[in-house]
mmCIF file of all heavy atoms in Angstrom:
data_model
loop_
_atom_site.group_PDB
_atom_site.id
_atom_site.type_symbol
_atom_site.label_atom_id
_atom_site.label_comp_id
_atom_site.label_asym_id
_atom_site.label_seq_id
_atom_site.Cartn_x
_atom_site.Cartn_y
_atom_site.Cartn_z
ATOM 1 N N ALA A 67 98.987 71.170 113.579
ATOM 2 C CA ALA A 67 100.262 71.425 112.956
ATOM 3 C C ALA A 67 100.553 72.904 112.844
ATOM 4 O O ALA A 67 101.633 73.389 113.153
ATOM 5 C CB ALA A 67 100.374 70.735 111.592
ATOM 6 N N GLU A 68 99.577 73.641 112.413
ATOM 7 C CA GLU A 68 99.677 75.115 112.315
ATOM 8 C C GLU A 68 100.028 75.729 113.671
ATOM 9 O O GLU A 68 100.861 76.631 113.797
ATOM 10 C CB GLU A 68 98.439 75.790 111.690
ATOM 11 C CG GLU A 68 98.361 75.442 110.231
ATOM 12 C CD GLU A 68 97.085 76.036 109.596
ATOM 13 O OE1 GLU A 68 96.292 76.686 110.300
ATOM 14 O OE2 GLU A 68 96.966 75.841 108.401
ATOM 15 N N GLN A 69 99.297 75.379 114.650
ATOM 16 C CA GLN A 69 99.456 75.872 116.077
ATOM 17 C C GLN A 69 100.942 75.630 116.468
ATOM 18 O O GLN A 69 101.570 76.543 117.015
ATOM 19 C CB GLN A 69 98.530 75.280 117.027
ATOM 20 C CG GLN A 69 97.134 75.733 117.026
ATOM 21 C CD GLN A 69 96.272 75.064 118.055
ATOM 22 O OE1 GLN A 69 96.601 74.019 118.602
ATOM 23 N NE2 GLN A 69 95.103 75.669 118.374
ATOM 24 N N TYR A 70 101.347 74.414 116.242
ATOM 25 C CA TYR A 70 102.776 74.120 116.632
ATOM 26 C C TYR A 70 103.755 74.990 115.882
ATOM 27 O O TYR A 70 104.665 75.561 116.447
ATOM 28 C CB TYR A 70 103.042 72.572 116.334
ATOM 29 C CG TYR A 70 104.484 72.221 116.487
ATOM 30 C CD1 TYR A 70 105.070 72.165 117.674
ATOM 31 C CD2 TYR A 70 105.283 72.043 115.338
ATOM 32 C CE1 TYR A 70 106.472 71.819 117.819
ATOM 33 C CE2 TYR A 70 106.596 71.784 115.456
ATOM 34 C CZ TYR A 70 107.156 71.676 116.665
ATOM 35 O OH TYR A 70 108.525 71.404 116.796
ATOM 36 N N MET A 71 103.659 75.088 114.570
ATOM 37 C CA MET A 71 104.594 75.771 113.763
ATOM 38 C C MET A 71 104.540 77.320 114.128
ATOM 39 O O MET A 71 105.630 77.903 114.248
ATOM 40 C CB MET A 71 104.398 75.593 112.290
ATOM 41 C CG MET A 71 104.683 74.212 111.865
ATOM 42 S SD MET A 71 104.538 73.885 110.008
ATOM 43 C CE MET A 71 102.785 73.850 109.921
ATOM 44 N N ILE A 72 103.391 77.804 114.327
ATOM 45 C CA ILE A 72 103.270 79.276 114.735
ATOM 46 C C ILE A 72 103.944 79.519 116.058
ATOM 47 O O ILE A 72 104.630 80.573 116.275
ATOM 48 C CB ILE A 72 101.781 79.673 114.751
ATOM 49 C CG1 ILE A 72 101.193 79.789 113.329
ATOM 50 C CG2 ILE A 72 101.592 80.989 115.449
ATOM 51 C CD1 ILE A 72 99.731 79.966 113.240
ATOM 52 N N SER A 73 103.870 78.632 116.931
ATOM 53 C CA SER A 73 104.517 78.723 118.282
ATOM 54 C C SER A 73 106.061 78.618 118.183
ATOM 55 O O SER A 73 106.698 79.162 119.082
ATOM 56 C CB SER A 73 103.969 77.671 119.255
ATOM 57 O OG SER A 73 104.526 76.442 118.998
ATOM 58 N N LYS A 74 106.577 78.024 117.106
ATOM 59 C CA LYS A 74 107.987 77.809 116.996
ATOM 60 C C LYS A 74 108.769 78.774 116.102
ATOM 61 O O LYS A 74 109.921 79.007 116.266
ATOM 62 C CB LYS A 74 108.312 76.348 116.585
ATOM 63 C CG LYS A 74 107.811 75.296 117.549
ATOM 64 C CD LYS A 74 108.550 75.339 118.797
ATOM 65 C CE LYS A 74 108.038 74.282 119.797
ATOM 66 N NZ LYS A 74 108.594 74.430 121.102
ATOM 67 N N ILE A 75 108.129 79.270 115.117
ATOM 68 C CA ILE A 75 108.742 80.137 114.097
ATOM 69 C C ILE A 75 109.019 81.453 114.680
ATOM 70 O O ILE A 75 108.105 82.217 115.052
ATOM 71 C CB ILE A 75 107.959 80.249 112.788
ATOM 72 C CG1 ILE A 75 107.707 78.791 112.146
ATOM 73 C CG2 ILE A 75 108.560 81.189 111.754
ATOM 74 C CD1 ILE A 75 106.820 78.802 111.017
ATOM 75 N N PRO A 76 110.344 81.839 114.715
ATOM 76 C CA PRO A 76 110.681 83.144 115.263
ATOM 77 C C PRO A 76 110.228 84.314 114.370
ATOM 78 O O PRO A 76 110.305 84.201 113.139
ATOM 79 C CB PRO A 76 112.258 83.135 115.397
ATOM 80 C CG PRO A 76 112.650 82.079 114.456
ATOM 81 C CD PRO A 76 111.504 81.122 114.235
ATOM 82 N N ASN A 77 109.807 85.376 114.919
ATOM 83 C CA ASN A 77 109.460 86.618 114.194
ATOM 84 C C ASN A 77 108.434 86.343 113.006
ATOM 85 O O ASN A 77 108.611 86.959 111.956
ATOM 86 C CB ASN A 77 110.734 87.272 113.631
ATOM 87 C CG ASN A 77 111.735 87.557 114.751
ATOM 88 O OD1 ASN A 77 111.378 88.017 115.822
ATOM 89 N ND2 ASN A 77 113.004 87.322 114.458
ATOM 90 N N LEU A 78 107.528 85.532 113.281
ATOM 91 C CA LEU A 78 106.484 85.192 112.218
ATOM 92 C C LEU A 78 105.546 86.329 112.085
ATOM 93 O O LEU A 78 104.957 86.772 113.080
ATOM 94 C CB LEU A 78 105.845 83.941 112.585
ATOM 95 C CG LEU A 78 104.712 83.510 111.598
ATOM 96 C CD1 LEU A 78 105.234 83.178 110.238
ATOM 97 C CD2 LEU A 78 103.883 82.326 112.174
ATOM 98 N N ASN A 79 105.311 86.798 110.918
ATOM 99 C CA ASN A 79 104.372 87.797 110.589
ATOM 100 C C ASN A 79 103.128 87.087 109.953
ATOM 101 O O ASN A 79 103.142 86.760 108.769
ATOM 102 C CB ASN A 79 104.816 88.859 109.641
ATOM 103 C CG ASN A 79 103.821 89.965 109.419
ATOM 104 O OD1 ASN A 79 102.641 89.901 109.795
ATOM 105 N ND2 ASN A 79 104.252 91.044 108.784
ATOM 106 N N ARG A 80 102.118 86.754 110.824
ATOM 107 C CA ARG A 80 101.006 85.964 110.336
ATOM 108 C C ARG A 80 100.112 86.689 109.282
ATOM 109 O O ARG A 80 99.512 86.047 108.509
ATOM 110 C CB ARG A 80 100.108 85.578 111.513
ATOM 111 C CG ARG A 80 100.848 84.521 112.453
ATOM 112 C CD ARG A 80 100.094 84.349 113.698
ATOM 113 N NE ARG A 80 98.792 83.616 113.445
ATOM 114 C CZ ARG A 80 97.961 83.310 114.396
ATOM 115 N NH1 ARG A 80 98.246 83.600 115.659
ATOM 116 N NH2 ARG A 80 96.842 82.677 114.057
ATOM 117 N N ALA A 81 100.225 87.980 109.263
ATOM 118 C CA ALA A 81 99.460 88.806 108.280
ATOM 119 C C ALA A 81 99.949 88.526 106.905
ATOM 120 O O ALA A 81 99.159 88.725 105.899
ATOM 121 C CB ALA A 81 99.520 90.282 108.649
ATOM 122 N N LYS A 82 101.176 88.147 106.768
ATOM 123 C CA LYS A 82 101.795 87.879 105.398
ATOM 124 C C LYS A 82 101.587 86.491 104.889
ATOM 125 O O LYS A 82 102.088 86.191 103.817
ATOM 126 C CB LYS A 82 103.331 88.257 105.430
ATOM 127 C CG LYS A 82 103.556 89.721 105.578
ATOM 128 C CD LYS A 82 104.977 90.047 105.372
ATOM 129 C CE LYS A 82 105.194 91.580 105.518
ATOM 130 N NZ LYS A 82 106.583 91.916 105.357
ATOM 131 N N LEU A 83 101.004 85.620 105.596
ATOM 132 C CA LEU A 83 100.737 84.289 105.212
ATOM 133 C C LEU A 83 99.615 84.290 104.175
ATOM 134 O O LEU A 83 98.598 84.997 104.279
ATOM 135 C CB LEU A 83 100.329 83.369 106.321
ATOM 136 C CG LEU A 83 101.383 83.068 107.379
ATOM 137 C CD1 LEU A 83 100.805 82.295 108.550
ATOM 138 C CD2 LEU A 83 102.547 82.315 106.804
ATOM 139 N N GLY A 84 99.798 83.613 103.082
ATOM 140 C CA GLY A 84 98.851 83.625 102.050
ATOM 141 C C GLY A 84 97.764 82.541 102.145
ATOM 142 O O GLY A 84 97.428 82.143 103.304
ATOM 143 N N ASN A 85 97.140 82.128 101.076
ATOM 144 C CA ASN A 85 96.007 81.250 101.108
ATOM 145 C C ASN A 85 96.414 79.785 101.513
ATOM 146 O O ASN A 85 95.667 79.126 102.081
ATOM 147 C CB ASN A 85 95.346 81.160 99.744
ATOM 148 C CG ASN A 85 94.640 82.427 99.354
ATOM 149 O OD1 ASN A 85 94.248 83.148 100.249
ATOM 150 N ND2 ASN A 85 94.553 82.722 98.136
ATOM 151 N N ASN A 86 97.632 79.409 101.155
ATOM 152 C CA ASN A 86 98.146 78.029 101.552
ATOM 153 C C ASN A 86 98.974 78.112 102.864
ATOM 154 O O ASN A 86 100.103 77.837 102.875
ATOM 155 C CB ASN A 86 98.940 77.435 100.384
ATOM 156 C CG ASN A 86 98.149 77.275 99.183
ATOM 157 O OD1 ASN A 86 96.989 77.041 99.204
ATOM 158 N ND2 ASN A 86 98.785 77.548 98.009
ATOM 159 N N GLN A 87 98.208 78.474 103.935
ATOM 160 C CA GLN A 87 98.784 78.728 105.134
ATOM 161 C C GLN A 87 99.714 77.592 105.680
ATOM 162 O O GLN A 87 100.823 77.855 106.103
ATOM 163 C CB GLN A 87 97.777 79.182 106.185
ATOM 164 C CG GLN A 87 98.367 79.486 107.556
ATOM 165 C CD GLN A 87 97.296 80.082 108.449
ATOM 166 O OE1 GLN A 87 96.673 81.034 108.046
ATOM 167 N NE2 GLN A 87 97.199 79.473 109.640
ATOM 168 N N THR A 88 99.210 76.438 105.727
ATOM 169 C CA THR A 88 99.966 75.308 106.276
ATOM 170 C C THR A 88 101.267 75.075 105.452
ATOM 171 O O THR A 88 102.297 74.839 106.039
ATOM 172 C CB THR A 88 99.116 74.017 106.277
ATOM 173 O OG1 THR A 88 97.873 74.294 106.974
ATOM 174 C CG2 THR A 88 99.826 72.866 106.964
ATOM 175 N N ARG A 89 101.200 75.123 104.161
ATOM 176 C CA ARG A 89 102.348 74.957 103.285
ATOM 177 C C ARG A 89 103.337 76.086 103.536
ATOM 178 O O ARG A 89 104.533 75.799 103.667
ATOM 179 C CB ARG A 89 101.874 74.902 101.876
ATOM 180 C CG ARG A 89 102.987 74.832 100.801
ATOM 181 C CD ARG A 89 103.587 73.457 100.743
ATOM 182 N NE ARG A 89 102.685 72.474 100.329
ATOM 183 C CZ ARG A 89 102.872 71.128 100.514
ATOM 184 N NH1 ARG A 89 104.016 70.772 100.860
ATOM 185 N NH2 ARG A 89 101.973 70.360 100.200
ATOM 186 N N GLU A 90 102.917 77.261 103.635
ATOM 187 C CA GLU A 90 103.816 78.370 103.877
ATOM 188 C C GLU A 90 104.493 78.282 105.237
ATOM 189 O O GLU A 90 105.646 78.521 105.399
ATOM 190 C CB GLU A 90 103.122 79.712 103.719
ATOM 191 C CG GLU A 90 102.816 80.042 102.282
ATOM 192 C CD GLU A 90 102.235 81.417 102.136
ATOM 193 O OE1 GLU A 90 102.540 82.327 102.795
ATOM 194 O OE2 GLU A 90 101.296 81.515 101.224
#
Side-chain angles (χ1 to χ4, degrees):
E68 287 178 0
Q69 283 180 342
Y70 169 74
M71 290 184 286
I72 288 169
S73 74
K74 297 295 180 190
I75 298 171
N77 305 318
L78 176 67
N79 184 348
R80 292 173 65 181
K82 290 188 178 181
L83 293 174
N85 292 334
N86 300 323
Q87 180 171 306
T88 307
R89 177 74 59 193
E90 289 184 36

